[in-house]
């Protein structure tokens, strides 16, 4: 999702409990969740339980589970026994009675209820959105990136450990449909005028990817012939928007075509792909990408690049679906490394254009988004306290990757690397460092300083130069130590590589000026 606004604050014990792989987390590995809840649109409450199944990695007796007030854990049961729970803000420490032997697979049932926090400005300040559609019917959705899934259900709210599979059962009043991630396994009608939908996710999923969406939905679908065979693509939209959606969602198979080309097979064939209409802008919920871009091209009708190319596609369909590869397939362990999601997904927007409109269109788009870069704070945030870095992770991340593509100078190789990333880190949580090392290894270039410059520093490399007596003198300023990225310059209409460093270099030229090829995200200063 797009990022707006950031708080600066001192970190608290709660931040550490949330953002650290604590001792009460690291001894157990998530294997399965069954989230089983009732949603009451009139009372704006939820109640139910999450069954948390886990494999014991180390003998230990306390388990940290996260759930944010005002929701309350009412009891925790293991094998019929109620367990003692020590509450510490958003963290809850469960005292297990039984010996947790290494290798065994156990489960607890965490019962909870209450009025979940309402989203203030979904999805950036998320929670539950309780809206109404034009016919006055409930139109409800969850969003929780950053704030955490524990804003609405109890779980291990740290990104490093993804559950292997999950069942989501949601009970709602008859006449409404709940759409969650994965595939609909069963619909159960009850005598009390409610209906329960059971959605099964057959793949690892991160916490913030889990969602419920409740409305008077209508459904249409298509089968996409993809790299791994037929892929079900299902669309859930408000009843009144069906015809509009059938036309507008033609961007979805176009998206699938472009991204399978550049990134490899859609990572969740078993779960299918869905677009689900919601009352907020959108979010990359895994296999149920949520959509609220008002059936407009661009970002709510606007082009983030100001080039016109951004109006060739629906930003939310393309961007949020791009996250299926970078966010849902390859997932950050720590939100400090969120650029792995947003840098690559910002970059995916121009690869969509590249596939359908060509290389020049894509370059114009990504270069056009540079005006949004602030260079205020480094892209990488603070580790272990659930703190993301600068919003520059989007346009600057995209422009860094576009620059890297120039350095590789071989688009087939670049494509193999992007596909290789999705294969090598398939369904994994990663650190930025792992991605950086992979890119260095696969490109055959030591990119250490390149990433330090663009991810860990706010300065943009500047080529200082002068031309005197047919002699070009040049060097880099505003760089981290030993940054020496080659760049292409145009001299007398001829493109050539130069190799600037911190120290001055000279070369003969027969020109009054030079220009840097704009694909490189560097600045120039003629002295
Ligand atoms: Zn995003």
């Amino acid at each position: 999702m797009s990022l707006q606004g950031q708080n600066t604050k001192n970190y608290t014990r709660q931040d550490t409990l949330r953002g650290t792989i604590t001792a009460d987390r690291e001894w157990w590995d998530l294997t399965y969740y069954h989230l089983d809840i009732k949603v009451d649109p009139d009372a704006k409450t939820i109640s139910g339980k999450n069954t948390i199944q886990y494999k014991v990695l180390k003998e230990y007796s306390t388990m940290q589970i996260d759930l944010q007030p005002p929701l309350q854990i009412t009891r925790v049961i293991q094998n019929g026994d109620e367990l003692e729970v020590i509450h510490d803000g958003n963290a809850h420490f469960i005292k297990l009675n039984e010996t947790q032997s290494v290798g065994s697979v156990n489960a607890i049932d965490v019962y909870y209820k209450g009025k979940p926090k309402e989203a203030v400005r979904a999805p950036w300040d998320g929670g539950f959105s309780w809206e109404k559609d034009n016919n006055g019917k409930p139109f409800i959705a969850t969003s929780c990136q950053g704030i955490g899934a524990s804003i609405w259900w109890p779980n291990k709210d740290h990104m490093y450990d993804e559950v292997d599979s999950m069942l989501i059962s949601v009970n709602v009043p008859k006449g409404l449909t709940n759409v969650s991630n994965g595939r609909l396994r069963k619909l159960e009608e009850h005598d009390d005028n409610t209906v329960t939908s059971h959605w099964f996710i057959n793949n690892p999923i991160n916490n913030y990817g889990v969602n419920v969406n409740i409305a008077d939905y209508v459904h249409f679908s298509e089968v996409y012939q993809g790299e791994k065979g037929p892929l079900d693509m299902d669309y859930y939209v408000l009843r009144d928007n069906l015809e509009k959606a059938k036309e507008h969602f033609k961007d979805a198979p176009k998206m699938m075509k472009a991204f399978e080309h550049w990134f490899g097979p859609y990572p969740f064939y078993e779960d299918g792909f869905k677009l689900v209409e919601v009352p907020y802008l959108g979010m990359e919920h895994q296999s149920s990408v949520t959509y609220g871009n008002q059936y407009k091209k661009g970002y709510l009708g606007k082009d983030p690049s100001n080039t016109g190319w951004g109006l060739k596609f629906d930003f939310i369909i393309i961007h949020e679906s791009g996250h299926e590869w970078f966010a849902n397939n390859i997932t950050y362990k720590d939100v400090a490394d969120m650029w792995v999601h947003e840098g690559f997904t910002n970059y995916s927007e121009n690869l969509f254009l590249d596939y359908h409109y060509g290389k020049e269109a894509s370059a114009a788009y990504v270069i056009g988004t540079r005006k949004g870069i602030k260079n205020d704070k480094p892209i990488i945030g603070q580790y272990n306290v659930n703190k993301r870095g600068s919003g520059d992770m989007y346009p600057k991340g995209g422009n860094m990757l576009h620059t890297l593509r120039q350095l590789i100078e071989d688009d087939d190789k670049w494509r193999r690397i992007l596909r290789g990333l999705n294969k090598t880190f398939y369904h994994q949580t990663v650190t930025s460092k792992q991605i950086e090392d992979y890119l260095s290894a696969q490109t055959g270039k030591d990119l250490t300083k390149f990433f330090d410059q663009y991810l860990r520093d706010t300065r943009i490399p500047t080529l200082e130069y002068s031309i005197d007596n047919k002699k070009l003198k040049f060097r880099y300023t505003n760089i981290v130590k030993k940054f020496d990225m080659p760049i292409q310059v145009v001299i007398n209409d001829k493109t050539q590589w130069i190799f600037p460093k911190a120290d001055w270099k000279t070369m003969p030229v027969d020109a009054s000026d030079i220009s840097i090829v704009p694909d490189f995200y560097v600045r120039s200063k003629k002295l």
Side-chain angles (χ1 to χ4, degrees):
M1 205 342 79
S2 306
L3 187 72
Q4 290 187 356
Q6 288 178 63
N7 303 321
T8 45
K9 59 171 184 174
N10 296 320
Y11 300 110
T12 63
R13 173 177 158 76
Q14 284 295 315
D15 295 325
T16 300
L17 285 174
R18 175 66 203 293
T20 306
I21 305 170
T22 59
D24 306 287
R25 280 175 172 152
E26 70 169 351
W27 65 271
W28 54 286
D29 177 38
L30 273 170
T31 53
Y32 175 72
Y33 283 136
H34 179 195
L35 179 63
D36 184 2
I37 58 170
K38 180 182 183 70
V39 177
D40 184 334
D42 291 330
K44 296 186 179 177
T45 57
I46 56 176
S47 58
K49 71 170 196 291
N50 188 22
T51 300
I52 301 171
Q53 192 196 66
Y54 59 94
K55 187 173 176 183
V56 178
L57 304 176
K58 251 196 267 190
E59 270 193 39
Y60 211 77
S61 58
T62 311
M63 176 183 255
Q64 180 182 340
I65 295 295
D66 307 278
L67 181 70
Q68 301 180 40
L71 290 174
Q72 280 186 326
I73 292 179
T74 51
R75 63 199 155 103
V76 179
I77 308 286
Q78 184 160 52
N79 295 331
D81 291 332
E82 182 159 353
L83 303 178
E84 184 194 351
V85 185
I86 296 164
H87 305 283
D88 186 350
N90 301 338
H92 309 273
F93 298 94
I94 295 159
K95 300 290 176 193
L96 299 161
N97 292 338
E98 294 179 23
T99 312
Q100 306 289 314
S101 6
V102 174
S104 64
V105 175
N106 307 331
I108 56 168
D109 290 327
V110 181
Y111 288 82
Y112 77 113
K113 65 175 185 189
K115 245 184 149 116
K117 177 187 171 284
E118 286 191 33
V120 176
R121 208 166 55 96
W124 302 283
D125 189 350
F128 256 77
S129 298
W130 307 93
E131 306 290 339
K132 292 267 163 78
D133 70 12
N134 287 338
N135 302 316
K137 296 212 169 167
F139 187 20
I140 300 164
T142 58
S143 59
C144 57
Q145 190 183 19
I147 200 165
S150 55
I151 198 76
W152 68 276
W153 59 287
N155 62 82
K156 183 195 250 188
D157 207 356
H158 192 292
M159 295 288 288
Y160 86 101
D161 190 6
E162 291 192 349
V163 74
D164 302 331
S165 66
M166 179 167 183
L167 179 62
I168 305 174
S169 303
V170 182
N171 178 262
V172 298
K174 238 178 227 168
L176 296 176
T177 300
N178 171 65
V179 183
S180 287
N181 318 73
R183 288 186 189 268
L184 181 63
R185 194 181 247 183
K186 197 165 57 167
L187 266 179
E188 272 181 304
E189 298 210 359
H190 309 285
D191 292 338
D192 64 353
N193 221 25
T194 62
V195 56
T196 303
S197 60
H198 301 275
W199 293 84
F200 184 69
I201 306 150
N202 208 359
N203 282 298
I205 184 167
N206 67 50
N207 294 330
Y208 82 82
V210 174
N211 70 158
V212 300
N213 305 289
I214 301 161
D216 178 22
Y217 284 124
V218 288
H219 168 236
F220 63 102
S221 66
E222 64 186 302
V223 177
Y224 177 82
Q225 296 303 328
E227 285 196 13
K228 272 173 78 173
L231 169 65
D232 291 318
M233 296 182 71
D234 288 272
Y235 310 108
Y236 291 86
V237 299
L238 292 181
R239 189 169 296 279
D240 288 357
N241 292 337
L242 181 60
E243 291 314 312
K244 225 176 352 184
K246 279 183 174 169
E247 184 55 36
H248 196 79
F249 285 4
K250 286 179 180 166
D251 270 4
K254 279 179 81 179
M255 168 281 295
M256 202 52 81
K257 190 105 197 149
F259 289 166
E260 285 210 323
H261 172 83
W262 279 106
F263 300 147
Y266 174 69
F268 310 104
Y269 268 70
E270 304 78 6
D271 290 328
F273 172 85
K274 292 189 291 297
L275 279 178
V276 186
E277 187 170 358
V278 288
Y280 61 87
L281 187 57
M283 179 52 73
E284 63 258 30
H285 297 116
Q286 182 173 311
S287 74
S288 57
V289 169
T290 48
Y291 177 82
N293 199 34
Q294 301 174 11
Y295 300 97
K296 289 177 179 165
K297 296 288 184 184
Y299 183 102
L300 290 170
K302 290 196 283 267
D303 174 5
S305 76
N306 268 351
T307 60
W309 292 111
L311 296 176
K312 297 284 184 196
F313 58 92
D314 182 305
F315 179 92
I316 291 297
I317 295 178
I318 304 310
H319 178 97
E320 305 308 340
S321 302
H323 278 307
E324 294 280 29
W325 285 263
F326 293 96
N328 298 336
N329 187 36
I330 305 175
T331 309
Y332 57 68
K333 272 195 162 78
D334 190 307
V335 72
D337 291 334
M338 190 170 164
W339 83 271
V340 174
H341 295 193
E342 300 301 349
F344 279 97
T345 302
N346 175 285
Y347 185 67
S348 79
E349 296 157 24
N350 90 79
L351 291 181
F352 173 86
L353 283 170
D354 192 300
Y355 187 85
H356 291 289
Y357 299 92
K359 203 169 168 175
E360 280 180 30
S362 81
Y365 178 85
V366 66
I367 293 166
T369 62
R370 278 181 202 164
K371 68 180 168 52
I373 301 174
K374 294 196 178 83
N375 290 311
D376 55 348
K377 279 180 290 182
I379 283 179
I380 291 184
Q382 288 285 322
Y383 291 104
N384 300 322
V385 285
N386 193 40
K387 181 66 179 171
R388 61 182 76 176
S390 166
D392 282 350
M393 69 178 86
Y394 295 77
K396 189 174 171 181
N399 274 284
M400 178 185 80
L401 293 170
H402 184 67
T403 302
L404 180 55
R405 179 182 184 173
Q406 315 311 314
L407 295 177
I408 294 165
E409 230 190 342
D410 177 347
D411 286 348
D412 290 336
K413 184 173 180 183
W414 182 222
R415 180 178 161 223
R416 281 199 302 277
I417 291 171
L418 293 171
R419 291 174 68 99
L421 272 170
N422 276 285
K423 206 170 167 186
T424 305
F425 300 106
Y426 185 71
H427 291 179
Q428 288 178 33
T429 61
V430 301
T431 61
S432 175
K433 187 74 173 52
Q434 284 175 278
I435 300 300
E436 294 167 46
D437 289 349
Y438 182 86
L439 291 170
S440 279
Q442 298 303 311
T443 57
K445 300 174 191 298
D446 181 356
L447 297 168
T448 312
K449 297 298 159 192
F450 173 84
F451 289 122
D452 283 350
Q453 181 78 45
Y454 287 106
L455 296 176
R456 299 182 177 86
D457 200 289
T458 57
R459 293 171 298 170
I460 298 308
T462 302
L463 182 76
E464 270 190 6
Y465 70 98
S466 65
I467 299 174
D468 251 333
N469 288 327
K470 298 193 173 180
K471 201 172 77 179
L472 172 68
K473 212 174 136 188
F474 61 95
R475 68 167 181 181
Y476 270 137
T477 57
N478 281 333
I479 51 170
V480 300
K481 253 199 187 122
K482 295 191 175 158
F483 177 88
D484 60 355
M485 179 179 78
I487 47 171
Q488 287 180 308
V489 292
V490 181
I491 305 174
N492 288 332
D493 297 327
K494 233 187 96 206
T495 300
Q496 66 177 87
W497 287 96
I498 60 168
F499 301 87
K501 295 190 173 189
D503 298 327
W504 288 105
K505 285 188 172 183
T506 57
M507 63 183 270
V509 287
D510 193 5
S512 59
D513 206 354
I514 65 166
S515 64
I516 300 173
V517 170
D519 295 300
F520 292 83
Y521 184 43
V522 296
R523 291 185 177 140
S524 68
K525 187 176 169 194
K526 193 179 185 186
L527 300 173

